[in-house]
Amino acid sequence: MSRSQLVAEHLPLLRRYARALTGNQASGDAYVGAMLEALLQDPALLDEQHGPRAGLFRLFTQIWNSVSLNDDADVTTLPLPSERRLSNITPLPRQAFLLLSLEGFSEEEVAFILGVDVAETRKLADTAGREMAAEIATDVLIIEDETFIAMDLESLVKNLGHHVIGVARTHSDAVALAKNRKPGLILADIQLADGSSGLDAVNELLKTFEVPVVFITAYPERFLTGERPEPAFLISKPFQPAMVSVVAVSLKNFQRNSRNRAPRVA
């Protein structure tokens, strides 16, 4: 397999990680773009000691942690927002937790990606867990047509301290629930019971107000294609509770900066 094929194989989930890390779709994709540019200029930057996927995440981490991209206000090569990092969970613990819980890397692989040892990796993950527990709860709308998955999500969300405003099984149910009470976070399946799309339901809601959305699907790579429209944040089925927890908390920064907006008039 060629180098370009290796990168293409792992790129969708790297983009997912970047978006969860930054809390912003454009910012996450911009960092991935910077990593790809660096790799094109110097292919030797990819360290495949723990395989190509871990090597790509390690190179991305080096870009993300670089002073020139994160801390230099005069950087103009990337279209990044002024808030490049989440304010509530410190950067290194957040990276460790996301790599372990969202991306499923082993502790040894995470240590390699972050340039630390395994003991430090465990400490970082524990720190992230404690900081996440201190987050403020929000109202959550669940859009899911599978009864048992919906029940699991509802229980998980409540255990995280959030309030579930309702569970919608169809496009019309989701719109009706959100109109009665605007959620601070949406967890949505992509295929719904009435044959409609969770993407369509969310896009209709986003015409009237802004809210962070996490889509849950068995095939995340099918939807992170680089073409528009595409979901900004994805969790794979079957999901682990820690996945939902860490992504929901990561997106709280986006939710705090979102503002209700009036519908656009044609």
Side-chain angles (χ1 to χ4, degrees):
M1 186 180 294
S2 68
R3 175 62 56 82
S4 61
Q5 289 174 317
L6 284 174
V7 172
E9 178 183 352
H10 300 296
L11 189 59
L13 297 187
L14 178 61
R15 292 176 65 212
R16 176 179 71 174
Y17 168 72
R19 295 173 180 192
L21 181 63
T22 61
N24 181 279
Q25 179 176 356
S27 179
D29 285 350
Y31 276 107
V32 172
M35 184 215 70
L36 293 175
E37 290 181 9
L39 187 60
L40 284 173
Q41 293 176 8
D42 185 2
L45 291 173
L46 184 62
D47 185 343
E48 299 186 51
Q49 178 181 343
H50 288 266
R53 182 172 177 242
L56 286 171
F57 276 74
R58 177 182 172 90
L59 178 56
F60 174 86
T61 298
Q62 292 169 347
I63 298 295
W64 162 256
N65 288 330
S66 66
V67 174
S68 61
L69 289 178
N70 283 323
D71 299 322
D72 186 351
D74 295 327
V75 170
T76 58
T77 56
L78 293 175
L80 300 178
S82 59
E83 290 188 28
R84 295 182 175 87
R85 297 183 175 220
L86 304 178
S87 59
N88 300 305
I89 301 179
T90 45
L92 204 54
R94 184 170 67 258
Q95 291 174 74
F97 200 97
L98 281 169
L99 290 167
L100 288 165
S101 301
L102 182 65
E103 299 304 332
F105 283 108
S106 68
E107 291 180 337
E108 290 75 15
E109 289 170 329
V110 173
F112 166 72
I113 291 168
L114 298 182
V116 299
D117 58 28
V118 171
E120 180 64 17
T121 297
R122 292 171 181 165
K123 290 180 182 178
L124 291 169
D126 288 343
T127 297
R130 289 194 300 270
E131 293 182 6
M132 286 198 321
E135 286 294 297
I136 300 172
T138 192
D139 291 332
V140 180
L141 171 62
I142 297 173
I143 306 175
E144 172 60 64
D145 65 328
E146 296 185 36
T147 301
F148 291 110
I149 293 179
M151 291 173 61
D152 286 345
L153 283 173
E154 187 171 12
S155 176
L156 171 61
V157 165
K158 289 179 178 178
N159 288 337
L160 290 172
H162 301 303
H163 176 259
V164 178
I165 64 173
V167 177
R169 299 184 69 249
T170 66
H171 180 145
S172 58
D173 288 345
V175 173
L177 282 168
K179 284 183 178 178
N180 289 331
R181 185 171 180 179
K182 291 183 176 63
L185 175 69
I186 296 177
L187 302 178
D189 193 4
I190 290 181
Q191 300 297 329
L192 301 180
D194 60 352
S196 63
S197 166
L199 280 170
D200 292 339
V202 167
N203 285 334
E204 183 172 342
L205 295 176
L206 292 179
K207 291 178 181 178
T208 58
F209 65 96
E210 294 181 353
V211 61
V213 182
V214 179
F215 287 95
I216 300 174
T217 174
Y219 305 100
E221 66 279 2
R222 292 184 182 178
F223 297 94
L224 288 175
T225 61
E227 300 175 358
R228 296 294 186 268
E230 67 173 5
F233 300 96
L234 290 170
I235 289 178
S236 305
K237 287 182 179 179
F239 58 84
Q240 297 297 321
M243 283 188 180
V244 180
S245 174
V246 73
V247 172
V249 173
S250 294
L251 293 184
K252 285 293 290 177
N253 183 72
F254 179 80
Q255 186 266 339
R256 286 191 185 94
N257 290 317
S258 294
R259 296 291 185 272
N260 289 347
R261 63 183 181 187
R264 287 174 293 181
V265 178

